Amino acid sequence: MSGRDLIGVFNLIIVVGILGVISYAAIILQPPEYDHQTLCVVDEIPPHRAVVIDKTDLYSPEQADRIAALIRAQKPGLAVGERLSLYELNESGQLANTNRFSLCNPGAGEQVNPLYRNPDRVQARYDMLFAEPLEAALADLVTPKNAPNSPIIEALAQLTQDPTFDRNAPRRHIVLVSDMLQNSDLFTVYPYRQRMDLTSRLPAPTTVAQLLRETYGDGLRGVTLEIRLIPRDPWQQVQQSQMRAYWDQVLRPLGVSVQWVEL
């Protein structure tokens, strides 16, 4: 074989190698497939943040505005691909069919590298697919309603039965907007009596936790819970003292990490 033939063979090998690398890169580096309904990566369970609005008692227009601002404030803290869902807690304790919004963050303009993607184009897509639907969901979500029952802890446990929010989902976080005045068959804080020792007539926190595990399993373990407390007349002092201590004792054995913030 002549030198010219060897050079030709060598060049052919290089071309084949380059084509192979390009084909491999095209397969490996192709963008993931997204679900057009949820904006989440197909066949992956993303981190999930759920905002649950307790609609079993009325709240003022000022409180409604603060709730809307709280929900909007969730956006900057979402990682790209993280899911945000909004739920109402109704009188039956069912969160199913109360969901007005459940999407994965597709990434805002400030969350992308401008060397590879156009931030303005990414922001326009984010606004159309994520931010605007969120605003539309707020219109009804913060409308005051009322209900005879308030099964707060059962609703949280039921949420963990959802495949998108069960123990397979990483970094599960619940923002709960509520007065935390439970009223269900599990236990009730009513009726209100001044100077009453509330916790003396409630079931033991460990009993409540055990009954909840027997019904719903251990799905709440590992959840971080941010309680945005709505003050209610004439309950404010009880809410900040006896009720807060009682809830901490219920949630601790369930494996829930709790943070309290007044709305």
Side-chain angles (χ1 to χ4, degrees):
M1 183 178 293
S2 67
R4 182 175 296 177
D5 292 336
L6 288 174
I7 293 174
V9 171
F10 181 72
N11 289 338
L12 180 60
I13 293 173
I14 292 176
V15 170
V16 171
I18 292 173
L19 291 175
V21 170
I22 292 174
S23 299
Y24 178 79
I27 295 173
I28 298 299
L29 300 178
Q30 62 181 335
E33 182 182 356
Y34 289 88
D35 183 293
H36 295 296
Q37 297 295 322
T38 65
L39 308 182
C40 301
V41 176
V42 173
D43 297 328
E44 288 188 12
I45 302 177
H48 199 161
R49 183 180 309 194
V51 180
V52 178
I53 310 298
D54 184 351
K55 302 294 284 288
T56 60
D57 281 294
L58 298 176
Y59 38 78
S60 68
E62 292 77 13
Q63 289 172 328
D65 289 342
R66 289 199 291 272
I67 293 171
L70 170 66
I71 295 172
R72 293 187 182 101
Q74 304 303 310
K75 293 187 294 182
L78 290 173
V80 176
E82 185 174 359
R83 190 167 190 159
L84 175 65
S85 295
L86 307 182
Y87 294 92
E88 293 181 8
L89 169 57
N90 62 25
E91 72 279 6
S92 65
Q94 300 295 323
L95 298 181
N97 302 321
T98 71
N99 182 271
R100 296 291 182 272
F101 177 95
S102 186
L103 295 174
C104 285
N105 174 21
E110 61 185 16
Q111 293 180 299
V112 300
N113 189 329
L115 294 177
Y116 300 101
R117 300 180 68 186
N118 184 318
D120 292 338
R121 185 173 298 174
V122 169
Q123 184 64 40
R125 178 176 181 268
Y126 172 87
D127 291 340
M128 180 179 67
L129 298 181
F130 189 83
E132 292 174 8
L134 178 61
E135 286 298 316
L138 291 183
D140 178 69
L141 194 72
V142 298
T143 301
K145 297 179 183 177
N146 201 0
N149 301 311
S150 186
I152 299 168
I153 188 64
E154 297 94 325
L156 299 185
Q158 287 175 8
L159 178 57
T160 67
Q161 311 298 299
D162 188 312
T164 70
F165 206 85
D166 63 18
R167 294 189 66 177
N168 293 315
R171 301 201 311 275
R172 295 178 298 160
H173 182 73
I174 300 174
V175 179
L176 173 62
V177 180
S178 174
D179 56 20
M180 301 306 291
L181 300 178
Q182 172 89 11
N183 182 23
S184 73
D185 292 339
L186 188 62
F187 75 90
T188 181
V189 302
Y190 297 98
Y192 173 80
R193 296 186 181 90
Q194 288 186 330
R195 299 185 183 89
M196 66 179 175
D197 179 8
L198 179 67
T199 55
S200 67
R201 63 183 183 83
L202 295 179
T206 52
T207 300
V208 174
Q210 181 60 33
L211 289 172
L212 206 71
R213 274 195 298 266
E214 290 174 359
T215 304
Y216 300 101
D218 208 25
L220 280 167
R221 184 163 302 279
V223 168
T224 59
L225 176 62
E226 176 185 334
I227 298 174
R228 295 286 181 150
L229 188 63
I230 300 176
R232 299 288 187 194
D233 286 328
W235 290 87
Q236 290 96 323
Q237 184 175 352
V238 174
Q239 286 176 291
Q240 291 288 357
S241 55
Q242 296 179 50
M243 282 310 307
R244 178 168 173 170
Y246 184 81
W247 276 113
D248 285 342
Q249 293 176 63
V250 169
L251 294 165
R252 190 178 301 117
L254 293 172
V256 180
S257 176
V258 186
Q259 176 190 9
W260 292 80
V261 183
E262 189 164 324
L263 182 66

